[in-house]
Amino acid sequence: MSFKVAIRSFKTLAYVESYKKIRDRPLTYYFAAIIGAGCVTYNQYKQNKNKVEAKEIMQLRNYMADPVTPISQLEKNPDDMKTQMELLIMRIQSEFCRALEKEEDEESKFKVDRWIRKEGGGGITCVLQDGRVFEKAGVNISVVSGKLPPAAVQQMKSRGKNFENKELPFFAAGVSAVIHPRNPMVPTIHFNYRYFEVEDKNEVHWWFGGGTDLTPYYLNEEDAIHFHMTLKHACDAHDASYYEKFKKWCDDYFHITHRGERRGVGGIFFDDIDHPNQQSAFEFVTSCAEAVIPSYLPIVQKHKEDAYGYYERQWQLLRRGRYVEFNLIYDRGTKFGLHTPEARYESILMSLPLNAKWEYMHEPKANSPEAKLMQVLKEPRDWLYIQKTKSSTT
């Protein structure tokens, strides 16, 4: 274990001890944070041990399908960021799908659909449906190129991207996953990590974006702390200011404005990352993507056999309806995909749950577990008590 990684782990545990002093949390919270810190510390150690000059190594036998870009082209351009990103998302897709399959019954496997886009590029969509543990799980990668239409250009301009040409040659590669478990006690997770290149007047503009967020149906504070602590470790490995900044960005982004509530308990979200340099930004995205499994799988294993009944199932379906509302009305990635020529709508809409419902003017009962969740969705919480820890040390 590297010295820097060990120091980060001890600092995190010091944070946890401060939380105990502030809130007098039960000892189980402390253990949950230790486990989260250990998982990510080991993961980062393994990453550093296996990293060869920060480049992905092609492992064709381990991928879910052949890469979208011809193998000969990838081998010729190992230093190109387009190559590095494609190999990263291929690996992340495979590792996550295999990890989810291990939690399922033996016969439940991902359906692998490799598709080609005639304008340029393609993707690999992996979907598992009607499993005992996962009602619907989608893990998609796309590697596409072509020219951005005016609608997509306008969307980018609304975010402050000042391009002069009306149609722009572009390259985009990303991995996106949404997991809808069957058991209401297991939360939904979403993550997306992507890389863009746009050519405008013979100049190439590039940036990264992404994030990971958790959407529980019933609030378990220990799970939320574990989830956020794992993401904080991934961020801290690159910049100590990242987690707090990207956590707020996530709370603000996953806001269902017309409902006045967040989609879930947050996580991290960022876009337009083009600093300090391309390789450093790529390594940050790599750390975030590799933090998904240790942030989520322990929660699945902990709750997948929990008891639940008809009432809990109906609440889960109602909350899934809110998930659909956000994705179809506000989600930036969905809008970009739908504005892209010859878009593959099956893959774009894979994030939608297999089942959902809407009830007119539904309100949870006062002081119920459902009402407890709604309080957090309306007022995002500082799960790691960073602000309180800061104020107590000043």
Side-chain angles (χ1 to χ4, degrees), residues 220-251:
N220 183 300
E221 296 188 4
E222 182 179 328
D223 294 344
I225 290 173
H226 162 81
F227 182 77
H228 278 268
M229 185 70 75
T230 309
L231 298 183
K232 184 179 186 299
H233 267 280
C235 291
D236 286 353
H238 302 272
D239 190 312
S241 70
Y242 276 178
Y243 168 76
E244 191 173 1
K245 178 169 58 177
F246 296 153
K247 190 267 186 189
K248 182 181 186 306
W249 198 338
C250 185
D251 288 335

Side-chain angles (χ1 to χ4, degrees), residues 25-52:
R25 290 290 184 184
L27 196 58
T28 53
Y29 283 71
Y30 185 60
F31 290 151
I34 293 176
I35 292 171
C39 287
V40 178
T41 298
Y42 172 73
N43 192 56
Q44 291 172 354
Y45 161 71
K46 184 175 66 174
Q47 171 194 346
N48 292 332
K49 181 179 178 181
N50 295 331
K51 185 167 57 179
V52 180

Side-chain angles (χ1 to χ4, degrees), residues 2 47 55 97 124 170 184 198 200 205 210 219 293 303 324:
S2 71
Q47 171 194 346
K55 298 180 179 64
C97 287
I124 302 167
F170 82 99
V198 173
D200 184 34
H205 303 264
L219 183 63
I293 290 177
H303 296 293
V324 172

Side-chain angles (χ1 to χ4, degrees), residues 47-203:
Q47 171 194 346
N48 292 332
K49 181 179 178 181
N50 295 331
K51 185 167 57 179
V52 180
E53 296 180 352
K55 298 180 179 64
E56 291 291 331
I57 300 175
M58 197 179 304
Q59 304 177 40
L60 295 177
R61 289 181 298 176
N62 296 330
Y63 298 149
M64 302 302 287
D66 289 340
V68 174
T69 303
I71 295 172
S72 59
Q73 183 177 335
L74 294 174
E75 290 176 337
K76 288 179 181 177
N77 302 288
D79 296 328
D80 193 311
M81 184 52 65
K82 296 190 287 294
T83 296
Q84 293 189 58
M85 190 65 185
E86 181 168 355
L87 296 181
L88 169 66
I89 63 179
M90 293 285 295
R91 176 171 65 84
I92 293 299
Q93 179 189 51
S94 176
E95 290 176 353
F96 193 52
C97 287
R98 304 304 186 200
L100 295 179
E101 285 180 342
K102 287 182 180 179
E103 303 304 320
E104 269 290 358
D105 292 338
E106 187 173 346
E107 64 273 12
S108 295
K109 301 295 182 182
F110 276 91
K111 175 182 178 180
V112 180
D113 180 16
R114 185 178 184 275
W115 47 273
I116 298 298
R117 178 174 170 270
K118 66 180 183 180
E119 285 76 11
I124 302 167
T125 299
C126 297
V127 176
L128 187 158
Q129 291 186 154
D130 277 327
R132 184 179 67 86
V133 177
F134 303 110
E135 190 168 341
K136 184 180 180 185
V139 188
N140 182 52
I141 70 164
S142 60
V143 181
V144 298
S145 58
K147 289 189 176 181
L148 287 179
V153 175
Q154 187 59 41
Q155 182 188 351
M156 289 185 175
K157 286 184 176 180
S158 68
R159 295 181 7 234
K161 297 289 184 183
N162 297 316
F163 299 123
E164 297 186 25
N165 293 344
K166 292 183 179 180
E167 287 193 348
L168 303 170
F170 82 99
F171 170 88
V175 56
S176 179
V178 178
I179 312 303
H180 294 292
R182 187 174 297 278
N183 192 318
M185 303 304 163
V186 181
T188 282
I189 191 175
H190 156 262
F191 73 89
N192 174 282
Y193 292 99
R194 55 196 179 273
Y195 172 70
F196 278 92
E197 283 188 3
V198 173
E199 186 176 339
D200 184 34
K201 287 202 167 185
N202 298 320
E203 182 180 358

Side-chain angles (χ1 to χ4, degrees), residues 155 159 161 192 194 196 207-211 246 249 253 269-275 332-333:
Q155 182 188 351
R159 295 181 7 234
K161 297 289 184 183
N192 174 282
R194 55 196 179 273
F196 278 92
W207 65 92
F208 292 88
F246 296 153
W249 198 338
Y253 178 75
F269 179 83
F270 53 87
D271 212 344
D272 304 327
I273 297 296
D274 57 4
H275 57 276
R332 188 179 298 164

